[in-house]
Amino acid sequence: AIMSTASGAILAPAIVLAENLIKPYLKNPDDKTMLSLFRGSVVLIAFLSMLVALFEGNIYELAGDSAGVTLVAMLVPLLAGLWWKKGSSMGAMLAMLLGLSTWFVCKFGLETSFPSHLWGFFVSMIAMILGTWLFPDKK
């Protein structure tokens, strides 16, 4: 069960990274290019996961952090995509990148009394709003 969960935890974000974040910037990629992109994304996500696991010695904190990554990187763009008609793709990208980066810095770099997950979530919301305002989608 642990191996199945671990493989899903690596494959899901790798596919999201390759298919939704990188592929739109490629011009008509062929199957060989996409396969290489998927493989590279899996290696990158596995490497980043390994780094996080090395810093955390407790499996319970790892499970909490994995849920927290969803909060700081995916919740705001998902809700904006469902409920905010003006939300832009650049706002979503900034929300994911800045929310995750903020969480990572607060979790492993800065020691704050305020939870790192909430810092990431708030920065993700601000980035979504500012990214949409500064870079609206062209209709």
Side-chain angles (χ1 to χ4, degrees), residues 48-126:
L48 292 174
S49 299
M50 182 191 70
L51 288 178
V52 170
L54 288 173
F55 284 108
E56 287 290 345
N58 186 339
I59 190 68
Y60 298 110
E61 293 214 16
L62 277 172
D65 287 343
S66 67
V69 168
T70 304
L71 172 70
V72 302
M74 300 297 213
L75 182 65
V76 171
L78 173 70
L79 292 176
L82 290 173
W83 302 105
W84 190 27
K85 292 181 182 182
K86 292 183 180 182
S88 72
S89 57
M90 183 57 79
M93 296 258 293
L94 288 174
M96 288 186 276
L97 292 173
L98 294 178
L100 188 62
S101 298
T102 302
W103 167 78
F104 194 81
V105 167
C106 289
K107 177 75 177 172
F108 299 110
L110 302 174
E111 300 238 354
T112 64
S113 59
F114 199 65
S116 58
H117 293 100
L118 292 179
W119 277 116
F121 177 70
F122 291 135
V123 168
S124 182
M125 283 193 314
I126 292 166

Side-chain angles (χ1 to χ4, degrees), residues 13-49:
I15 297 303
V16 168
L17 174 68
E19 186 73 32
N20 297 338
L21 296 177
I22 299 173
K23 183 181 175 185
Y25 295 101
L26 302 176
K27 294 184 180 182
N28 298 326
D30 60 347
D31 290 341
K32 188 174 180 179
T33 303
M34 287 307 299
L35 181 60
S36 296
L37 182 61
F38 289 141
R39 287 178 176 168
S41 296
V42 168
V43 170
L44 176 67
I45 296 297
F47 179 74
L48 292 174
S49 299

